[in-house]
Amino acid sequence: METANSFVTAHQPQLIDPFGRAVTYLRVSVTDRCDFRCLYCMAEDMTFLPKREVLSLEELDRLCSAFIEKGVRKLRLTGGEPLVRKNIMSLIRSLSRHLQTGALEELTLTTNGSQLARFADELAAAGVKRVNVSVDTLNPVKFKEVTRWGDLAKVLDGIEAAKAAGLQVKINAVALKGVNEHEIIPMMEWAHDEGHDLTLIETMPLGEIDGDRVDQYLPLNTVRARLEERFTLEPIAYKTGGPARYYSVSETGGRLGLITPLTHNFCEGCNRVRVTCTGQLYMCLGQDDQADLREPLRASEGNELLSQAIEEAISRKPKGHDFVIDRDTKKPAVSRHMSVTGG
Ligand code: SAM
Ligand code: SF4
């Protein structure tokens, strides 16, 4: 039984980095696999990891629970595509015990929406309240081009199902030069009409892809300036625990988030770390420094080694990132793909 003391301890942030920031938000990639091949995220002929390298669902549960014991309050499952992981609902249902005890404030996921129609009710039943769904364009032909394998109609059905199940949906769109840059206004109007927040993300130079990143890069200050010609954007203090800066849009009554890793430094308030599906802990999305948690996880059934490894890693969390797209080589500064750390 939980005593008053253990309850207090479990809710105190215990992972404090060298810059005094408490780590209370964990993003976990549950698979590197995906049923889409988005142009900016993956090459079409991606090679995925052998199964033995990927943490089992039980290992993922132990790992997440160890972080929750150390004061993590928000947990986001991502990927790859989290909903293509076999038996993913058993992990989600198991993790939801931490929602029931109050140790965890929020359990959520980022998904491409392709499987949402199937899972929306089960997610809601497990205590998931919000999901982020990535939709870069509402034009079905373009959607197929950007995702290579995706079907917009299925994703929109998934979003409908999520809404019907009572989940709050946030739409994430990566701003892509020459692809969706002239569609951002209708997308925002659609999202706000449907009652969804919209967050725009700048492309981040992560991992080798087939195309050219300098060509894809569309700075969000350009997008914002264009939006401000027609809409009134009021900066608001709204926070979801993520790095987005939010605006309320007077004309639509909706919220717009902007994530600008390249043009704006969002590191001071960083409260998050990421774990890959192989148990590599990245203390910063924009840096390569990592700590292996799989070895201590697999070395014993108890969590002592794991706990030590987590603490040691957090003591190395860097102050900020160094994202650059090298204009000469056009190579990314960070070599791993977004599907590895899950965004
Ligand atoms: N498959 C799920 C999805 O698409 O939402 C979850 C994983 S995906 C890697 C998470 C988010 O990262 C998506 O919103 C995706 O658009 C975004 N993303 C992927 N590669 C990116 C990149 N190079 N720059 C910026 N965002 C990226
Ligand atoms: Fe898959 Fe998401 Fe990457 Fe697209 S962005 S390829 S949906 S992991």
Side-chain angles (χ1 to χ4, degrees):
M1 215 184 95
E2 201 169 42
T3 62
N5 262 346
S6 73
F7 189 79
V8 171
T9 322
H11 291 247
Q12 295 293 327
Q14 293 165 50
L15 296 171
I16 312 285
D17 79 1
F19 305 96
R21 297 169 298 190
V23 174
T24 53
Y25 188 156
L26 176 68
R27 298 175 72 110
V28 181
S29 174
V30 297
T31 176
D32 62 330
R33 288 165 199 260
C34 187
D35 52 348
F36 291 4
R37 290 290 181 279
C38 302
L39 291 172
Y40 50 77
C41 180
M42 292 191 184
E44 187 152 24
D45 61 344
M46 285 288 285
T47 314
F48 294 109
L49 293 161
K51 216 171 164 191
R52 62 179 182 282
E53 293 200 15
V54 176
L55 299 183
S56 68
L57 294 174
E58 292 72 26
E59 287 168 337
L60 283 165
D61 192 318
R62 270 179 69 202
L63 184 105
C64 294
S65 302
F67 274 95
I68 294 165
E69 268 168 34
K70 292 184 168 299
V72 159
R73 305 278 290 142
K74 293 194 177 193
L75 185 60
R76 178 175 295 278
L77 306 184
T78 172
E81 174 46 41
L83 295 179
V84 301
R85 173 92 197 235
K86 206 169 159 202
N87 286 333
I88 187 64
M89 278 315 304
S90 68
L91 175 67
I92 295 175
R93 274 192 295 268
S94 167
L95 289 171
S96 73
R97 71 189 185 276
H98 299 297
L99 290 171
Q100 278 148 23
T101 64
L104 193 62
E105 210 172 278
E106 180 166 56
L107 174 59
T108 177
L109 63 165
T110 300
T111 170
N112 65 22
S114 68
Q115 313 294 316
L116 253 187
R118 181 173 154 211
F119 287 115
D121 287 337
E122 284 180 81
L123 290 170
V128 173
K129 300 256 184 297
R130 298 193 301 153
V131 287
N132 289 1
V133 185
S134 305
V135 184
D136 297 330
T137 167
L138 291 173
N139 173 324
V141 176
K142 257 189 203 170
F143 189 84
K144 185 115 227 161
E145 276 166 27
V146 175
T147 60
R148 292 198 186 98
W149 296 1
D151 176 355
L152 179 65
K154 261 197 187 162
V155 172
L156 295 179
D157 283 351
I159 293 173
E160 273 303 307
K163 199 171 154 182
L167 300 175
Q168 210 183 312
V169 177
K170 179 161 80 69
I171 306 294
N172 282 345
V174 177
L176 296 163
K177 194 158 128 196
V179 178
N180 61 6
E181 66 175 301
H182 299 297
E183 235 196 290
I184 288 174
I185 290 179
M187 280 195 65
M188 182 177 84
E189 287 173 329
W190 164 77
H192 289 176
D193 238 27
E194 295 286 319
H196 313 314
D197 291 348
L198 172 71
T199 294
L200 300 174
I201 312 171
E202 256 171 19
T203 46
M204 293 182 240
L206 293 178
E208 292 287 337
I209 51 164
D210 299 328
D212 178 345
R213 292 198 188 274
V214 178
D215 283 354
Q216 294 175 344
Y217 178 55
L218 172 63
L220 287 187
N221 48 18
T222 307
V223 175
R224 196 175 85 190
R226 284 185 199 156
L227 284 171
E228 282 178 331
E229 289 169 11
R230 282 196 36 200
F231 298 92
T232 320
L233 307 188
E234 299 274 353
I236 49 171
Y238 181 70
K239 278 266 157 220
T240 56
R245 278 178 302 153
Y246 278 92
Y247 299 83
S248 83
V249 182
S250 312
E251 290 76 4
T252 61
R255 269 191 301 245
L256 176 73
L258 301 179
I259 302 186
T260 54
L262 296 173
T263 54
H264 178 78
N265 202 309
F266 57 62
C267 306
E268 320 85 67
C270 181
N271 60 351
R272 58 181 48 205
V273 290
R274 297 170 165 79
V275 183
T276 68
C277 58
T278 60
Q280 309 306 302
L281 174 66
Y282 283 91
M283 287 71 88
C284 171
L285 179 61
Q287 299 220 357
D288 275 330
D289 190 24
Q290 69 186 89
D292 176 32
L293 300 181
R294 187 178 60 189
E295 219 256 333
L297 191 62
R298 289 185 174 173
S300 73
E301 278 175 20
N303 281 351
E304 202 161 303
L305 296 174
L306 174 64
S307 171
Q308 278 166 13
I310 294 173
E311 281 169 19
E312 193 279 327
I314 300 301
S315 76
R316 287 193 273 131
K317 183 165 160 65
K319 191 165 182 195
H321 65 63
D322 29 52
F323 275 129
V324 220
I325 301 177
D326 188 314
R327 283 184 187 272
D328 297 324
T329 65
K330 294 183 177 167
K331 294 269 187 244
V334 173
S335 58
R336 61 187 193 276
H337 285 93
M338 186 70 111
S339 52
V340 172
T341 27

mmCIF file of all heavy atoms in Angstrom, residues 205 261-262 265 267 284-288 318 320-325 332-334:
data_model
loop_
_atom_site.group_PDB
_atom_site.id
_atom_site.type_symbol
_atom_site.label_atom_id
_atom_site.label_comp_id
_atom_site.label_asym_id
_atom_site.label_seq_id
_atom_site.Cartn_x
_atom_site.Cartn_y
_atom_site.Cartn_z
ATOM 1 N N PRO A 205 16.938 18.843 -39.230
ATOM 2 C CA PRO A 205 17.914 18.052 -39.992
ATOM 3 C C PRO A 205 18.317 16.785 -39.267
ATOM 4 O O PRO A 205 19.398 16.690 -38.702
ATOM 5 C CB PRO A 205 19.095 19.019 -40.126
ATOM 6 C CG PRO A 205 18.969 19.939 -38.953
ATOM 7 C CD PRO A 205 17.524 20.033 -38.613
ATOM 8 N N PRO A 261 12.734 24.895 -33.952
ATOM 9 C CA PRO A 261 14.026 24.510 -33.379
ATOM 10 C C PRO A 261 15.205 25.201 -34.045
ATOM 11 O O PRO A 261 16.250 25.373 -33.429
ATOM 12 C CB PRO A 261 14.092 23.005 -33.626
ATOM 13 C CG PRO A 261 13.154 22.755 -34.740
ATOM 14 C CD PRO A 261 12.074 23.770 -34.605
ATOM 15 N N LEU A 262 15.057 25.568 -35.325
ATOM 16 C CA LEU A 262 16.212 26.150 -36.011
ATOM 17 C C LEU A 262 16.307 27.662 -35.837
ATOM 18 O O LEU A 262 17.393 28.207 -35.834
ATOM 19 C CB LEU A 262 16.163 25.827 -37.510
ATOM 20 C CG LEU A 262 16.264 24.353 -37.872
ATOM 21 C CD1 LEU A 262 16.041 24.157 -39.357
ATOM 22 C CD2 LEU A 262 17.619 23.782 -37.493
ATOM 23 N N ASN A 265 15.634 29.403 -30.002
ATOM 24 C CA ASN A 265 16.179 28.474 -29.044
ATOM 25 C C ASN A 265 15.164 28.187 -27.948
ATOM 26 O O ASN A 265 14.813 29.056 -27.188
ATOM 27 C CB ASN A 265 17.442 29.099 -28.463
ATOM 28 C CG ASN A 265 18.332 28.039 -27.895
ATOM 29 O OD1 ASN A 265 17.860 27.227 -27.113
ATOM 30 N ND2 ASN A 265 19.577 28.035 -28.287
ATOM 31 N N CYS A 267 15.550 25.856 -25.626
ATOM 32 C CA CYS A 267 16.203 24.939 -24.690
ATOM 33 C C CYS A 267 16.077 25.305 -23.207
ATOM 34 O O CYS A 267 16.103 24.408 -22.364
ATOM 35 C CB CYS A 267 17.676 24.791 -25.044
ATOM 36 S SG CYS A 267 17.935 24.318 -26.754
ATOM 37 N N CYS A 284 19.058 15.193 -25.345
ATOM 38 C CA CYS A 284 18.681 16.360 -26.153
ATOM 39 C C CYS A 284 18.412 15.887 -27.572
ATOM 40 O O CYS A 284 19.211 15.133 -28.134
ATOM 41 C CB CYS A 284 19.821 17.375 -26.127
ATOM 42 S SG CYS A 284 19.618 18.752 -27.262
ATOM 43 N N LEU A 285 17.286 16.321 -28.140
ATOM 44 C CA LEU A 285 16.921 15.911 -29.505
ATOM 45 C C LEU A 285 17.998 16.334 -30.520
ATOM 46 O O LEU A 285 18.213 15.682 -31.518
ATOM 47 C CB LEU A 285 15.569 16.532 -29.877
ATOM 48 C CG LEU A 285 15.007 16.258 -31.272
ATOM 49 C CD1 LEU A 285 14.759 14.780 -31.513
ATOM 50 C CD2 LEU A 285 13.725 17.028 -31.509
ATOM 51 N N GLY A 286 18.649 17.461 -30.233
ATOM 52 C CA GLY A 286 19.591 18.028 -31.212
ATOM 53 C C GLY A 286 21.037 17.648 -30.976
ATOM 54 O O GLY A 286 21.929 18.245 -31.573
ATOM 55 N N GLN A 287 21.291 16.683 -30.089
ATOM 56 C CA GLN A 287 22.683 16.288 -29.876
ATOM 57 C C GLN A 287 22.800 14.779 -29.903
ATOM 58 O O GLN A 287 21.842 14.062 -29.622
ATOM 59 C CB GLN A 287 23.168 16.815 -28.528
ATOM 60 C CG GLN A 287 23.110 18.325 -28.468
ATOM 61 C CD GLN A 287 24.308 18.947 -27.777
ATOM 62 O OE1 GLN A 287 25.176 18.240 -27.277
ATOM 63 N NE2 GLN A 287 24.343 20.249 -27.751
ATOM 64 N N ASP A 288 23.992 14.306 -30.196
ATOM 65 C CA ASP A 288 24.182 12.861 -30.331
ATOM 66 C C ASP A 288 24.480 12.142 -29.022
ATOM 67 O O ASP A 288 24.481 10.919 -28.982
ATOM 68 C CB ASP A 288 25.304 12.579 -31.342
ATOM 69 C CG ASP A 288 24.765 12.583 -32.775
ATOM 70 O OD1 ASP A 288 23.588 12.226 -32.962
ATOM 71 O OD2 ASP A 288 25.512 12.957 -33.697
ATOM 72 N N PRO A 318 22.719 18.275 -21.781
ATOM 73 C CA PRO A 318 23.396 19.509 -22.202
ATOM 74 C C PRO A 318 22.484 20.729 -22.098
ATOM 75 O O PRO A 318 21.261 20.599 -22.012
ATOM 76 C CB PRO A 318 23.746 19.229 -23.658
ATOM 77 C CG PRO A 318 22.744 18.237 -24.104
ATOM 78 C CD PRO A 318 22.347 17.423 -22.902
ATOM 79 N N GLY A 320 21.942 23.045 -24.391
ATOM 80 C CA GLY A 320 21.130 23.328 -25.581
ATOM 81 C C GLY A 320 21.577 22.499 -26.771
ATOM 82 O O GLY A 320 22.456 21.656 -26.662
ATOM 83 N N HIS A 321 20.918 22.732 -27.899
ATOM 84 C CA HIS A 321 21.195 21.900 -29.074
ATOM 85 C C HIS A 321 22.032 22.639 -30.107
ATOM 86 O O HIS A 321 22.204 23.838 -30.031
ATOM 87 C CB HIS A 321 19.880 21.444 -29.699
ATOM 88 C CG HIS A 321 19.045 22.535 -30.258
ATOM 89 N ND1 HIS A 321 19.461 23.318 -31.300
ATOM 90 C CD2 HIS A 321 17.820 22.990 -29.923
ATOM 91 C CE1 HIS A 321 18.511 24.172 -31.603
ATOM 92 N NE2 HIS A 321 17.517 24.008 -30.759
ATOM 93 N N ASP A 322 22.550 21.886 -31.070
ATOM 94 C CA ASP A 322 23.191 22.555 -32.190
ATOM 95 C C ASP A 322 22.726 21.973 -33.508
ATOM 96 O O ASP A 322 23.433 21.236 -34.152
ATOM 97 C CB ASP A 322 24.721 22.572 -32.104
ATOM 98 C CG ASP A 322 25.313 21.386 -31.359
ATOM 99 O OD1 ASP A 322 24.976 20.243 -31.698
ATOM 100 O OD2 ASP A 322 26.099 21.623 -30.457
ATOM 101 N N PHE A 323 21.503 22.331 -33.849
ATOM 102 C CA PHE A 323 20.963 21.928 -35.144
ATOM 103 C C PHE A 323 21.526 22.815 -36.242
ATOM 104 O O PHE A 323 21.484 24.030 -36.131
ATOM 105 C CB PHE A 323 19.455 22.185 -35.184
ATOM 106 C CG PHE A 323 18.638 21.084 -34.601
ATOM 107 C CD1 PHE A 323 17.684 21.369 -33.653
ATOM 108 C CD2 PHE A 323 18.796 19.783 -35.026
ATOM 109 C CE1 PHE A 323 16.893 20.383 -33.128
ATOM 110 C CE2 PHE A 323 18.002 18.783 -34.505
ATOM 111 C CZ PHE A 323 17.061 19.080 -33.550
ATOM 112 N N VAL A 324 22.026 22.223 -37.263
ATOM 113 C CA VAL A 324 22.406 23.004 -38.434
ATOM 114 C C VAL A 324 22.179 22.130 -39.658
ATOM 115 O O VAL A 324 22.366 20.923 -39.586
ATOM 116 C CB VAL A 324 23.928 23.338 -38.491
ATOM 117 C CG1 VAL A 324 24.201 24.742 -38.965
ATOM 118 C CG2 VAL A 324 24.670 22.952 -37.258
ATOM 119 N N ILE A 325 21.753 22.736 -40.748
ATOM 120 C CA ILE A 325 21.812 21.985 -41.997
ATOM 121 C C ILE A 325 23.040 22.554 -42.691
ATOM 122 O O ILE A 325 23.096 23.738 -42.984
ATOM 123 C CB ILE A 325 20.584 22.220 -42.884
ATOM 124 C CG1 ILE A 325 19.306 21.818 -42.145
ATOM 125 C CG2 ILE A 325 20.709 21.429 -44.174
ATOM 126 C CD1 ILE A 325 18.021 22.075 -42.914
ATOM 127 N N PRO A 332 22.892 16.311 -42.539
ATOM 128 C CA PRO A 332 22.335 16.715 -41.256
ATOM 129 C C PRO A 332 23.398 16.725 -40.168
ATOM 130 O O PRO A 332 24.337 15.932 -40.200
ATOM 131 C CB PRO A 332 21.298 15.629 -40.977
ATOM 132 C CG PRO A 332 21.776 14.439 -41.725
ATOM 133 C CD PRO A 332 22.496 14.949 -42.933
ATOM 134 N N ALA A 333 23.233 17.632 -39.181
ATOM 135 C CA ALA A 333 24.177 17.695 -38.069
ATOM 136 C C ALA A 333 23.981 16.520 -37.124
ATOM 137 O O ALA A 333 24.874 16.131 -36.395
ATOM 138 C CB ALA A 333 23.984 19.001 -37.313
ATOM 139 N N VAL A 334 22.786 15.974 -37.124
ATOM 140 C CA VAL A 334 22.494 14.840 -36.256
ATOM 141 C C VAL A 334 22.133 13.692 -37.183
ATOM 142 O O VAL A 334 21.267 13.816 -38.042
ATOM 143 C CB VAL A 334 21.327 15.192 -35.302
ATOM 144 C CG1 VAL A 334 20.893 13.980 -34.500
ATOM 145 C CG2 VAL A 334 21.737 16.328 -34.363
#
